Amino acid sequence: MKKLSIFSILLLLIILFFLSNINNYLYSQNKPDIDGIINQNEYSNKFVFDNENFIVYAEIINDIIYFGIESNAKGWIAIGFDPSSAMKDADMIFGVVTDKEAKAFDTYSTGIFGPHPDDKEIGGNYDILSFAGKRNNSKIYFEFSRKTDTKDSKDRIIIKGKDIKLLWAYSDSNDINSKHKKRGSALIVIK
């Protein structure tokens, strides 16, 4: 009888462990690869701007948000979240992709039209978990991930199913302090 109850308890613990981890396992199998390549069904959300010159892809899995950007830009690309007015107080991510490397900048817009210093310069943190980018012919592909809630005062909390004011912009220059060539904003919902 004792052997049976020890076996039963052990079996119950194994089943509980499996059930508590199955959700994470299933989600981890479907998360986007942050490799600078945006595959056809990699993201379940797609937002098209500027006659397909700027496309934003998004996916939220557990507490991580994954973004992909596809653009015809010759220079930097950027997206920002929930400004209070124009660009003011926007949480912004800039990507620069050259033939040799990709760079990601975690910034915050301090004024209506900028500037947008690095989060670390103004008391925030660098919260990008991973990033990658590639150039292919005339297109840039840039991907990054971060937590939906970074606990950083310079970052906005992104909630699945809730409205987000998205800013987008791109430039002909790789200097992120240079003026954008095109920009826009939209209210989006990441499902």
Side-chain angles (χ1 to χ4, degrees), residues 2 18 26 48 54 60 76 101 157 164 167 175 180 188:
K2 283 186 180 182
F18 176 76
L26 291 173
V48 179
F54 199 93
I60 296 176
W76 59 256
E101 67 180 344
I157 298 170
I164 301 164
L167 304 177
D175 176 359
H180 51 72
I188 65 166

Side-chain angles (χ1 to χ4, degrees), residues 9-188:
I9 291 170
L10 209 61
L11 183 61
L12 181 62
L13 288 173
I14 291 170
I15 291 169
L16 288 174
F17 176 79
F18 176 76
L19 290 175
S20 68
N21 287 298
I22 189 79
N23 206 23
N24 288 338
Y25 174 77
L26 291 173
Y27 279 122
S28 70
Q29 301 308 304
N30 297 322
K31 72 177 183 166
D33 288 327
I34 303 300
D35 57 4
I37 300 168
I38 300 172
N39 294 311
Q40 187 171 357
N41 294 313
E42 190 170 11
Y43 295 87
S44 59
N45 298 273
K46 180 179 178 180
F47 308 98
V48 179
F49 306 105
D50 191 33
N51 297 315
E52 296 191 1
N53 287 313
F54 199 93
I55 302 171
V56 176
Y57 301 87
E59 188 74 43
I60 296 176
I61 298 175
N62 296 331
D63 65 340
I64 306 291
I65 185 155
Y66 301 85
F67 281 103
I69 300 170
E70 176 183 341
S71 178
N72 293 329
K74 293 179 180 153
W76 59 256
I77 54 175
I79 57 175
F81 313 105
D82 288 333
S84 59
S85 175
M87 285 174 52
K88 185 166 176 43
D89 302 318
D91 169 12
M92 302 180 76
I93 304 292
F94 282 76
V96 174
V97 180
T98 66
D99 292 332
K100 296 179 182 178
E101 67 180 344
K103 295 179 182 177
F105 301 87
D106 187 357
T107 70
Y108 182 83
S109 184
T110 57
I112 293 175
F113 302 111
H116 35 76
D118 188 281
D119 279 12
K120 290 169 84 176
E121 292 175 17
I122 53 174
N125 298 306
Y126 183 84
D127 293 300
I128 298 169
L129 299 174
S130 60
F131 70 91
K134 293 194 187 309
R135 279 195 173 272
N136 184 1
N137 299 322
S138 63
K139 288 201 180 259
I140 290 175
Y141 299 91
F142 180 73
E143 295 179 290
F144 71 93
S145 66
R146 62 161 252 208
K147 291 204 173 264
T148 52
D149 183 0
T150 65
K151 311 289 189 221
D152 184 342
S153 65
K154 304 304 176 204
D155 292 339
R156 297 290 173 253
I157 298 170
I158 298 173
I159 300 171
K160 193 173 196 170
K162 185 177 178 198
D163 289 351
I164 301 164
K165 184 169 184 185
L166 177 79
L167 304 177
W168 60 268
Y170 61 91
S171 174
D172 283 339
S173 171
N174 284 331
D175 176 359
I176 68 166
N177 294 309
S178 67
K179 188 170 173 64
H180 51 72
K181 177 180 179 179
K182 291 248 183 144
R183 65 170 174 77
S185 66
L187 200 60
I188 65 166

